[in-house]
Amino acid sequence: QKMGAKKILEDSLINTYYDFPSLTLKNENKLLRVREYSDKTELTLKKKISKEKTKIEEEIQLEISNPKEMHYILTELGLTPLRRTEKKRISYQWNQTHVDIDFYAGIPPFLEVEAPTEQLVEEMVKKLGFTMKDTKPWTGKDVFKHYGKPFTK
């Protein structure tokens, strides 16, 4: 906030991840998630593009009005809820850069920087007082694994 970023979210989130029993989505480097905020719910499909210097994903997201019905539709289509996670998130926006601070039980808070280009990610990392050597192109699952925590229901 001192550098002019705008706080855009402080909320508790529940994420439910789905896949087919054969793990078709995982095998295609895709992820399907229902994310429930206190005032809205989103369905997100992600496809991993790269995980070299930074994590690059194609993401399609839409708001849904009834999470209970969405969970029902997904299971009726043959998908299975693989895991459910809960976290607190604080989010900031600065120009085209989005910064999230996530808090999971039993894991130290961690920061995620998202931007349309790797250059903008690097600029924000530097503005926050870090270098790219301090960063990891990790998913939430990678963070759980690093801290020896199960990333399951």
Side-chain angles (χ1 to χ4, degrees):
Q1 286 176 311
K2 288 180 183 177
M3 59 185 260
K6 180 181 176 187
K7 185 187 229 181
I8 58 171
L9 177 77
E10 185 166 353
D11 205 350
S12 293
L13 315 176
I14 299 170
N15 296 317
T16 306
Y17 299 88
Y18 285 88
D19 203 340
F20 295 97
S22 62
L23 302 179
T24 303
L25 296 176
K26 180 182 178 185
N27 294 333
E28 294 177 358
N29 290 317
K30 295 177 184 174
L31 175 144
L32 184 65
R33 174 188 70 209
V34 175
R35 173 172 283 165
E36 298 175 56
Y37 297 82
S38 60
D39 63 345
K40 67 178 181 177
T41 302
E42 296 170 339
L43 177 68
T44 304
L45 175 65
K46 293 185 178 191
K47 181 177 181 181
K48 187 185 327 175
I49 305 298
S50 172
K51 198 174 168 186
E52 299 295 319
K53 187 176 182 181
T54 61
K55 180 177 68 173
I56 300 172
E57 296 177 324
E58 180 181 291
E59 186 171 317
I60 301 169
Q61 190 167 277
L62 60 101
E63 197 164 323
I64 54 177
S65 62
N66 189 321
K68 194 178 264 187
E69 287 182 0
M70 178 79 325
H71 290 292
Y72 177 78
I73 288 169
L74 293 173
T75 56
E76 283 296 304
L77 290 171
L79 290 114
T80 304
L82 297 179
R83 63 189 176 277
R84 185 175 185 268
T85 62
E86 295 183 31
K87 67 181 170 185
K88 179 182 174 188
R89 172 173 276 181
I90 301 172
S91 298
Y92 296 89
Q93 188 73 36
W94 190 78
N95 293 334
Q96 297 178 22
T97 307
H98 188 92
V99 177
D100 295 320
I101 305 168
D102 287 340
F103 303 83
Y104 288 98
I107 294 177
F110 64 93
L111 185 101
E112 180 179 12
V113 177
E114 292 184 8
T117 67
E118 284 186 344
Q119 180 182 345
L120 288 173
V121 169
E122 288 184 39
E123 288 175 14
M124 178 55 77
V125 167
K126 288 177 185 172
K127 282 185 182 297
L128 294 170
F130 299 99
T131 70
M132 289 306 288
K133 290 181 182 179
D134 298 318
T135 69
K136 304 279 187 227
W138 287 355
T139 64
K141 186 176 183 178
D142 294 328
V143 172
F144 273 70
K145 183 178 178 182
H146 176 77
Y147 288 102
K149 302 288 183 184
F151 194 59
T152 58
K153 294 180 188 178

